[in-house]
Short mmCIF file of all heavy atoms in Angstrom, two decimals:
data_model
loop_
_atom_site.label_atom_id
_atom_site.label_comp_id
_atom_site.label_asym_id
_atom_site.label_seq_id
_atom_site.Cartn_x
_atom_site.Cartn_y
_atom_site.Cartn_z
N VAL F 10 48.29 -26.20 55.95
CA VAL F 10 47.66 -26.53 57.23
C VAL F 10 46.17 -26.19 57.18
O VAL F 10 45.32 -26.98 57.60
CB VAL F 10 48.34 -25.77 58.40
CG1 VAL F 10 47.59 -25.95 59.70
CG2 VAL F 10 49.77 -26.22 58.57
N TYR F 14 43.23 -29.01 57.66
CA TYR F 14 42.23 -29.01 58.74
C TYR F 14 40.83 -28.65 58.24
O TYR F 14 39.85 -29.04 58.87
CB TYR F 14 42.71 -28.17 59.93
CG TYR F 14 43.78 -28.95 60.67
CD1 TYR F 14 45.12 -28.72 60.44
CD2 TYR F 14 43.43 -30.01 61.51
CE1 TYR F 14 46.10 -29.50 61.04
CE2 TYR F 14 44.40 -30.78 62.12
CZ TYR F 14 45.73 -30.52 61.88
OH TYR F 14 46.68 -31.31 62.48
N TYR F 21 36.76 -34.74 62.35
CA TYR F 21 37.83 -34.66 63.34
C TYR F 21 37.45 -35.31 64.67
O TYR F 21 38.21 -36.13 65.23
CB TYR F 21 38.24 -33.19 63.58
CG TYR F 21 39.43 -33.09 64.48
CD1 TYR F 21 40.72 -33.15 63.97
CD2 TYR F 21 39.28 -33.01 65.87
CE1 TYR F 21 41.83 -33.12 64.81
CE2 TYR F 21 40.38 -32.97 66.71
CZ TYR F 21 41.65 -33.02 66.18
OH TYR F 21 42.74 -33.01 67.01
N PHE F 29 42.90 -38.97 71.59
CA PHE F 29 43.73 -37.90 72.17
C PHE F 29 43.18 -37.40 73.50
O PHE F 29 43.68 -36.41 74.04
CB PHE F 29 43.81 -36.71 71.20
CG PHE F 29 44.74 -36.92 70.03
CD1 PHE F 29 44.72 -36.03 68.96
CD2 PHE F 29 45.63 -37.98 69.98
CE1 PHE F 29 45.57 -36.20 67.87
CE2 PHE F 29 46.49 -38.16 68.91
CZ PHE F 29 46.46 -37.26 67.85
N ARG F 33 44.45 -34.47 76.45
CA ARG F 33 43.66 -33.24 76.69
C ARG F 33 43.34 -33.10 78.17
O ARG F 33 43.52 -32.05 78.78
CB ARG F 33 42.35 -33.28 75.91
CG ARG F 33 42.49 -33.00 74.46
CD ARG F 33 41.13 -32.78 73.79
NE ARG F 33 41.27 -33.06 72.38
CZ ARG F 33 40.97 -34.22 71.81
NH1 ARG F 33 40.46 -35.21 72.51
NH2 ARG F 33 41.18 -34.38 70.51
N ASP F 49 43.75 -21.33 74.87
CA ASP F 49 43.85 -22.65 74.25
C ASP F 49 44.13 -22.42 72.76
O ASP F 49 43.26 -22.02 72.00
CB ASP F 49 42.54 -23.43 74.46
CG ASP F 49 42.65 -24.90 74.08
OD1 ASP F 49 43.28 -25.19 73.04
OD2 ASP F 49 42.10 -25.75 74.79
N VAL F 50 45.38 -22.65 72.37
CA VAL F 50 45.80 -22.36 70.99
C VAL F 50 45.62 -23.60 70.13
O VAL F 50 45.96 -24.71 70.57
CB VAL F 50 47.29 -21.95 70.92
CG1 VAL F 50 47.64 -21.46 69.53
CG2 VAL F 50 47.62 -20.89 71.93
N GLY F 51 45.11 -23.42 68.91
CA GLY F 51 44.81 -24.58 68.07
C GLY F 51 43.67 -25.35 68.71
O GLY F 51 43.70 -26.57 68.79
N VAL F 52 42.66 -24.59 69.12
CA VAL F 52 41.54 -25.17 69.90
C VAL F 52 40.72 -26.13 69.05
O VAL F 52 39.98 -26.96 69.57
CB VAL F 52 40.68 -24.02 70.50
CG1 VAL F 52 39.99 -23.22 69.41
CG2 VAL F 52 39.67 -24.54 71.51
N GLY F 53 40.88 -26.02 67.72
CA GLY F 53 40.22 -26.96 66.81
C GLY F 53 38.70 -26.90 66.94
O GLY F 53 38.10 -25.82 66.95
N LEU F 56 36.95 -29.52 71.42
CA LEU F 56 36.71 -30.72 72.24
C LEU F 56 37.12 -30.51 73.70
O LEU F 56 36.54 -31.12 74.59
CB LEU F 56 37.54 -31.89 71.66
CG LEU F 56 36.96 -32.59 70.45
CD1 LEU F 56 38.01 -33.49 69.80
CD2 LEU F 56 35.73 -33.40 70.83
N VAL F 70 41.88 -20.01 70.01
CA VAL F 70 42.19 -19.53 68.67
C VAL F 70 42.60 -20.70 67.78
O VAL F 70 43.10 -21.72 68.27
CB VAL F 70 43.31 -18.45 68.67
CG1 VAL F 70 42.91 -17.26 69.50
CG2 VAL F 70 44.64 -19.02 69.14
N ASP F 71 42.36 -20.53 66.49
CA ASP F 71 42.74 -21.57 65.52
C ASP F 71 42.87 -20.92 64.15
O ASP F 71 42.20 -19.94 63.85
CB ASP F 71 41.68 -22.68 65.47
CG ASP F 71 42.26 -23.98 64.95
OD1 ASP F 71 42.47 -24.09 63.71
OD2 ASP F 71 42.52 -24.89 65.76
N ILE F 72 43.72 -21.52 63.33
CA ILE F 72 43.93 -20.97 62.00
C ILE F 72 42.85 -21.44 61.02
O ILE F 72 42.66 -20.83 59.97
CB ILE F 72 45.33 -21.37 61.47
CG1 ILE F 72 45.77 -20.46 60.35
CG2 ILE F 72 45.38 -22.81 60.99
CD1 ILE F 72 47.01 -19.76 60.70
N SER F 73 42.16 -22.51 61.39
CA SER F 73 41.18 -23.11 60.48
C SER F 73 39.77 -22.66 60.84
O SER F 73 39.26 -23.01 61.91
CB SER F 73 41.29 -24.64 60.54
OG SER F 73 40.14 -25.22 59.97
N MET F 76 37.26 -25.60 61.45
CA MET F 76 37.43 -26.21 62.78
C MET F 76 36.81 -25.31 63.84
O MET F 76 36.05 -25.76 64.71
CB MET F 76 38.92 -26.42 63.08
CG MET F 76 39.63 -27.44 62.22
SD MET F 76 39.21 -29.16 62.57
CE MET F 76 40.30 -29.52 63.95
N MET F 98 43.00 -17.12 64.18
CA MET F 98 44.26 -16.41 64.46
C MET F 98 45.42 -17.37 64.24
O MET F 98 45.30 -18.56 64.52
CB MET F 98 44.24 -15.98 65.94
CG MET F 98 45.11 -14.81 66.26
SD MET F 98 45.01 -14.42 68.04
CE MET F 98 43.44 -13.59 68.15
N ASP F 99 46.52 -16.82 63.75
CA ASP F 99 47.74 -17.61 63.60
C ASP F 99 48.47 -17.64 64.94
O ASP F 99 48.73 -16.59 65.53
CB ASP F 99 48.62 -16.95 62.53
CG ASP F 99 49.86 -17.79 62.20
OD1 ASP F 99 50.20 -18.70 62.99
OD2 ASP F 99 50.47 -17.52 61.16
N ALA F 100 48.78 -18.83 65.40
CA ALA F 100 49.43 -19.01 66.70
C ALA F 100 50.75 -18.25 66.81
O ALA F 100 51.23 -17.97 67.91
CB ALA F 100 49.67 -20.50 66.93
N GLN F 116 47.29 -28.23 72.59
CA GLN F 116 47.12 -29.69 72.55
C GLN F 116 47.26 -30.18 71.11
O GLN F 116 46.44 -29.83 70.26
CB GLN F 116 45.74 -30.06 73.10
CG GLN F 116 45.54 -29.58 74.52
CD GLN F 116 44.08 -29.54 74.94
OE1 GLN F 116 43.18 -29.37 74.12
NE2 GLN F 116 43.82 -29.69 76.22
N TYR F 117 48.31 -30.93 70.84
CA TYR F 117 48.53 -31.53 69.50
C TYR F 117 48.66 -30.45 68.43
O TYR F 117 48.08 -30.55 67.35
CB TYR F 117 47.38 -32.51 69.16
CG TYR F 117 47.08 -33.44 70.29
CD1 TYR F 117 45.93 -33.30 71.08
CD2 TYR F 117 47.97 -34.46 70.62
CE1 TYR F 117 45.68 -34.15 72.14
CE2 TYR F 117 47.72 -35.32 71.68
CZ TYR F 117 46.58 -35.15 72.44
OH TYR F 117 46.32 -35.98 73.50
N VAL F 118 49.38 -29.39 68.74
CA VAL F 118 49.46 -28.25 67.83
C VAL F 118 50.89 -27.95 67.39
O VAL F 118 51.13 -27.68 66.20
CB VAL F 118 48.85 -26.98 68.52
CG1 VAL F 118 49.07 -25.74 67.67
CG2 VAL F 118 47.37 -27.19 68.80
N ALA F 121 52.29 -29.09 64.29
CA ALA F 121 51.46 -28.83 63.11
C ALA F 121 51.64 -27.42 62.57
O ALA F 121 51.13 -27.10 61.50
CB ALA F 121 49.98 -29.06 63.45
N VAL F 122 52.37 -26.56 63.30
CA VAL F 122 52.48 -25.17 62.85
C VAL F 122 53.70 -25.01 61.93
O VAL F 122 54.70 -25.72 62.09
CB VAL F 122 52.57 -24.18 64.04
CG1 VAL F 122 51.34 -24.26 64.91
CG2 VAL F 122 53.83 -24.41 64.87
N PRO F 123 53.63 -24.07 60.99
CA PRO F 123 54.76 -23.91 60.06
C PRO F 123 56.07 -23.55 60.76
O PRO F 123 57.13 -24.01 60.35
CB PRO F 123 54.30 -22.76 59.15
CG PRO F 123 52.81 -22.79 59.23
CD PRO F 123 52.46 -23.25 60.61
C1 SAM C 301 45.67 -31.91 65.67
S1 SAM C 301 44.61 -30.51 65.76
C2 SAM C 301 44.36 -30.34 67.53
C3 SAM C 301 43.02 -29.71 67.86
C4 SAM C 301 42.68 -29.68 69.35
N1 SAM C 301 43.67 -28.94 70.12
C5 SAM C 301 42.51 -31.08 69.91
O1 SAM C 301 43.06 -31.38 70.98
O2 SAM C 301 41.80 -31.87 69.32
C6 SAM C 301 45.71 -29.16 65.41
C7 SAM C 301 44.99 -27.81 65.36
O3 SAM C 301 45.96 -26.78 65.25
C8 SAM C 301 45.48 -25.81 64.34
N2 SAM C 301 46.62 -25.05 63.82
C9 SAM C 301 47.61 -25.50 62.99
N3 SAM C 301 48.47 -24.50 62.71
C10 SAM C 301 48.01 -23.40 63.38
C11 SAM C 301 48.47 -22.07 63.48
N4 SAM C 301 49.58 -21.64 62.85
N5 SAM C 301 47.78 -21.21 64.26
C12 SAM C 301 46.66 -21.62 64.91
N6 SAM C 301 46.17 -22.88 64.85
C13 SAM C 301 46.84 -23.76 64.08
C14 SAM C 301 44.78 -26.64 63.29
O4 SAM C 301 43.89 -25.88 62.50
C15 SAM C 301 44.07 -27.68 64.15
O5 SAM C 301 42.80 -27.26 64.56
#
Side-chain angles (χ1 to χ4, degrees):
V10 173
Y14 285 97
Y21 186 87
F29 284 169
R33 283 191 203 96
D49 191 319
V50 188
V52 66
L56 280 167
V70 300
D71 203 284
I72 200 120
S73 164
M76 293 287 277
M98 204 181 283
D99 186 344
Q116 301 162 332
Y117 313 106
V118 173
V122 299

